[in-house]
Amino acid sequence: MIDLGVIWSVAHCEARLLWRSWAFRLSALVGLVLLFFFNLILIAPFSNAPHHFRALSSGLPLTSIRLLSLYLGFVAAFLATEFVKRDRQQDTAQTTFVHSFTNADYLMGKMLGVGAVFGALHLIVLLPVAVTHRFFASDTIFAWEPYLLLTLFSSLPTLIFTIGLSCLLVTLLRSQALAFAVMAALSMLFLIVLGPRYFYYFDTFGFSLPLFYSDFIGLGNLDQLLLVRGTHALFGVSCIGLTGLLSSRLRQSLSANLATALVVAACLAGATWTSLTYLQGKWADRAFREQLAVSSRMASAEPAPSVVDYDLAVEHNGHQLAIVARLSVTNQNDAPLDSLLFTLNPGLLVGEVTADDLPVPFTQELHLLRIAPAVALAHGDTCNLRISYSGTVDERFCYLDIETERYEGQYRMWLFSMPKAYAFVTPRFLHLTAESAWYPLGGLPPGTAFPESGRRDYARYRLSIAVPRDWTAISQGAVEIDTSGAKSLYRFRTETALPQTSLTAGRYELRQITVDDVSYSLAVLPGHTYFDAYFDSVGAALPGLIREIKNDYEAALGLEYPHP
C-alpha cells in the first residue's frame, strides 16, 4: 500500500540531491539573473517599454512566466531523469529497491522531490519580479491574481507533462541521453510546429495558447485553459503512473499495482474526455459558423424593412441580458412586405413580438428573425414593433465574412497571445458591439452574407440601462443620469441618425475636459491612472494640444466635427 512516510523520505532525499546538483544551481542562477535584468529593463524609465507592460497588471508577470515556462520545460526534461542515471552509475537503485516499499512510493517520492525543487525555483524567480513590480515600478499596475493564475495555467501543467513524459521515456529507452534527445525533439515540435496549430491542443509549453489576465473580466478563456492544460496535466500524471508500473523491481504488492493502474486509467480517461470535449467543441464552432453563413446567403435576396428609430431598454443580470426593443420600421422596397426580416444574435431568444400594439407571429431560425405583420407593409408605410428577447451574446456569429484561418489565428503582441472576444456579458463588465447584433438589425448587415454586400440603416437611437452606483455606462448620444434609485439609470439619445450603436458598462472612473465647446471624456478603471504624472506636466497646455490634434485630423479628412 501507499506509505506517506516513505514518499516523504524519498522526496526529501531527492530534493536535497537536486539542490546540490551543479547543473541545477547553474540553471537556476542563469534563469534568475536573466529574468531579473530583463524585467528591470522593462520597468526602467529610459526603456520606453511597450504600453501593455505598464497599462495591464498581467504584463510583467506573464512575460516572466512565459519565459520561465520555456526555460524550465527544457531544463526539467534533463534534471527530472537525472536520478535514474545517478542511481545506475552509483548503484544506489539496487540498495534502495530491496527495502519494503512499492514502485509507486519510490516514484511518487522522486516526482514530489523534483516538483518541490522546481516549484521553489519558480517562487525564487518570481518573487523578485513581484517585489520589483509592486514597489519599484510606480507607473505600472500591480495585482496578485496574475501571478497565481498564470502559474497554474502556464508553468504547472508544463512541468507535470515534461517530468512525467521524460521519466516514462527514460524507463522505456533505458538511456538518459536518448530520452533527453527525444524530449528535446518533441519539445521543439510542440513549441514551433504544432503549438500554434490545431486549436493549440499540442501547445504543452502554453506559449501560443491564448492566456491573459484582465482586471475587468479575469481570464477571458477559462474553459479553453481548463480543457487544454488539464489534458496536459492529466497525461503527465498518467505517464508518472506508467513509469511506476514499468519499473524493474521484484514482485510488487498487488493492491499497490492495482491502485496505480486505476490512477493511470482514470487520468488517461480524463485526458481523453477533455481532449474530445475540446476538439469536438471547436469543430462544432466551425460547423455552426458555416451554418450561419449558408443561412445568410440563402436569405440575402429577401427584401427587408429599414429601421429609422430604436428605443432599447437593456437589463443586465450577470451573464444574461433581457432587452425590450421598440423599432419604427418602414418599407422602402417597391413591393409590399408580408414578412419582415431582421438579424439578431442567435444567443438571444425572442419571447414576444407586437406590431402596432397587437401580438403577431414570428419565427427565429439561428440569427434570422422573421415577423409576419397582420397586414402587409406597403411601400412607404411605417410600422412600430416591440420585440422582447433575452439570453447572452453568441460570439460565433461575429465576423462571418472573415476566413477561418484568420478568425482562429493568434492575436499576438510579442510574448502575449490574447484570447479573442467580440462581446462581454459578465457580472463585472458589459461590452456590446454592433457587430454582435445584440439588437435587431433590418435585413442582413454587411459581412453577414459575404460576398453579398448586405445593408446598413441609419437610425436614431434611444437607450436606457440601470447599472450599480459605482459603474459608468457609455454609449453614443447625449446622456442623462438618474441616481435617485438603488441603481444609476443611464438614458442615451442621439440627435442625428447613426449607422449603429454600442454599449459599454463597468467600474469606470470618468475624466472630462471641454475644448471649444466639445467635451472629451476618458474612462479608466480606478487605480489604472499611471498616466497622471504625465498629465501633471502638460496640464496647462493640454487644451491647446487637443485643439491641434483635432484640427489636424479634420484637415486630413477634409471634414469638420459637427457635434457640440
Side-chain angles (χ1 to χ4, degrees):
M1 296 299 293
I2 301 299
D3 190 330
L4 296 180
V6 171
I7 294 175
W8 172 254
S9 298
V10 174
H12 183 256
C13 178
E14 183 62 28
R16 293 182 64 182
L17 289 174
L18 194 54
W19 272 113
R20 294 172 180 175
S21 169
W22 278 105
F24 177 80
R25 291 180 178 180
L26 289 175
S27 63
L29 181 62
V30 170
L32 179 61
V33 171
L34 289 179
L35 279 179
F36 176 78
F37 282 102
F38 178 77
N39 284 279
L40 192 63
I41 293 173
L42 286 180
I43 65 173
F46 59 81
S47 67
N48 194 25
H51 173 74
H52 45 263
F53 284 110
R54 302 175 183 276
L56 302 172
S57 61
S58 57
L60 285 176
L62 181 57
T63 303
S64 301
I65 290 173
R66 275 269 163 91
L67 294 175
L68 185 60
S69 296
L70 282 177
Y71 184 71
L72 292 182
F74 285 99
V75 173
F78 175 78
L79 295 179
T81 57
E82 179 69 17
F83 72 86
V84 177
K85 176 183 176 181
R86 182 178 60 246
D87 287 345
R88 290 174 179 167
Q89 285 184 345
Q90 300 176 5
D91 203 22
T92 57
Q94 300 303 320
T95 58
T96 302
F97 285 170
V98 298
H99 290 79
S100 180
F101 56 80
T102 65
N103 281 348
D105 291 334
Y106 177 72
L107 194 63
M108 288 173 63
K110 290 287 188 181
M111 295 300 101
L112 181 61
V114 173
V117 171
F118 280 105
L121 175 60
H122 197 278
L123 182 62
I124 291 172
V125 171
L126 282 187
L127 188 59
V129 176
V131 171
T132 304
H133 187 185
R134 175 65 180 85
F135 295 104
F136 298 100
S138 58
D139 59 346
T140 60
I141 309 303
F142 177 83
W144 62 268
E145 293 90 347
Y147 287 91
L148 175 62
L149 294 173
L150 300 181
T151 297
L152 290 177
F153 288 109
S154 183
S155 300
L156 185 61
T158 297
L159 284 177
I160 294 175
F161 178 88
T162 303
I163 292 174
L165 185 57
S166 298
C167 291
L168 179 61
L169 286 176
V170 79
T171 300
L172 295 174
L173 300 177
R174 313 295 294 175
S175 168
Q176 184 198 24
L178 183 58
F180 181 73
V182 172
M183 277 301 302
L186 289 175
S187 297
M188 296 303 295
L189 179 66
F190 292 153
L191 179 64
I192 299 174
V193 181
L194 298 179
R197 298 175 174 82
Y198 307 109
F199 311 114
Y200 314 103
Y201 176 75
F202 296 100
D203 186 17
T204 58
F205 285 91
F207 188 76
S208 299
L209 180 69
L211 177 61
F212 212 83
Y213 179 84
S214 166
D215 291 325
F216 280 105
I217 62 169
L219 296 171
N221 57 333
L222 182 59
D223 292 345
Q224 181 185 34
L225 293 173
L226 287 173
L227 292 174
V228 175
R229 300 305 273 161
T231 298
H232 299 157
L234 288 172
F235 183 78
V237 173
S238 65
C239 288
I240 294 174
L242 281 173
T243 303
L245 292 175
L246 297 176
S247 296
S248 300
R249 285 288 307 276
L250 298 175
R251 183 179 297 276
Q252 297 289 290
S253 166
L254 181 60
S255 58
N257 281 342
L258 181 60
T260 304
L262 289 175
V263 170
V264 172
C267 289
L268 288 176
T272 302
W273 179 83
T274 54
S275 300
L276 291 176
T277 301
Y278 178 68
L279 295 175
Q280 288 177 351
K282 290 297 184 181
W283 292 327
D285 291 346
R286 277 186 179 179
F288 185 71
R289 283 178 56 82
E290 180 59 30
Q291 186 180 4
L292 292 174
V294 171
S295 298
S296 297
R297 287 193 290 268
M298 293 177 62
S300 61
E302 294 184 28
S306 299
V307 184
V308 296
D309 189 82
Y310 282 98
D311 188 348
L312 306 172
V314 181
E315 180 181 344
H316 172 222
N317 185 19
H319 295 279
Q320 296 291 313
L321 294 171
I323 301 176
V324 176
R326 293 177 172 84
L327 291 70
S328 293
V329 301
T330 183
N331 180 12
Q332 298 181 357
N333 301 280
D334 295 333
L337 291 178
D338 55 4
S339 176
L340 308 180
L341 175 64
F342 295 91
T343 297
L344 184 65
N345 190 280
L348 300 169
L349 303 180
V350 177
E352 182 185 19
V353 178
T354 64
D356 295 327
D357 298 326
L358 296 176
V360 292
F362 66 92
T363 60
Q364 186 177 13
E365 300 175 2
L366 299 176
H367 61 299
L368 301 178
L369 173 64
R370 294 180 174 89
I371 300 173
V375 179
L377 195 63
H379 170 72
D381 284 357
T382 299
C383 177
N384 295 317
L385 300 176
R386 182 183 184 275
I387 305 174
S388 300
Y389 55 96
S390 60
T392 193
V393 173
D394 191 335
E395 297 179 48
R396 295 176 297 179
F397 166 80
C398 301
Y399 301 106
L400 295 177
D401 56 325
I402 300 299
E403 61 273 15
T404 300
E405 293 76 11
R406 183 180 176 188
Y407 180 82
E408 297 176 352
Q410 291 187 74
Y411 177 60
R412 197 172 189 89
M413 292 191 301
W414 197 43
L415 290 177
F416 302 153
S417 182
M418 310 289 190
K420 295 180 180 180
Y422 309 107
F424 296 93
V425 184
T426 71
R428 296 195 298 169
F429 184 58
L430 176 66
H431 182 57
L432 303 174
T433 61
E435 290 78 10
S436 64
W438 63 277
Y439 57 91
L441 303 171
L444 295 169
T448 309
F450 185 82
E452 300 295 332
S453 60
R455 54 176 293 162
R456 190 187 299 274
D457 293 327
Y458 279 76
R460 287 180 171 84
Y461 292 88
R462 294 187 303 277
L463 189 153
S464 64
I465 182 173
V467 297
R469 287 293 191 92
D470 59 341
W471 281 34
T472 299
I474 303 169
S475 186
Q476 289 75 26
V479 60
E480 296 179 359
I481 307 174
D482 183 359
T483 58
S484 60
K487 292 185 175 182
S488 298
L489 179 61
Y490 283 76
R491 296 187 181 93
F492 299 91
R493 183 186 185 94
T494 62
E495 299 295 334
T496 57
L498 298 177
Q500 60 190 29
T501 191
S502 60
L503 175 62
T504 301
R507 198 164 53 89
Y508 282 108
E509 176 182 302
L510 206 60
R511 308 282 185 88
Q512 288 184 321
I513 186 173
T514 301
V515 180
D516 298 335
D517 297 327
V518 178
S519 295
Y520 299 86
S521 299
L522 175 65
V524 60
L525 187 68
H528 286 240
T529 54
Y530 67 94
F531 47 78
D532 278 349
Y534 303 103
F535 278 171
D536 291 341
S537 60
V538 298
L542 190 58
L545 292 174
I546 293 176
R547 183 182 300 109
E548 182 180 352
I549 293 173
K550 173 177 174 291
N551 292 339
D552 290 343
Y553 188 62
E554 288 177 336
L557 294 178
L559 299 171
E560 292 185 1
Y561 186 71
H563 306 292

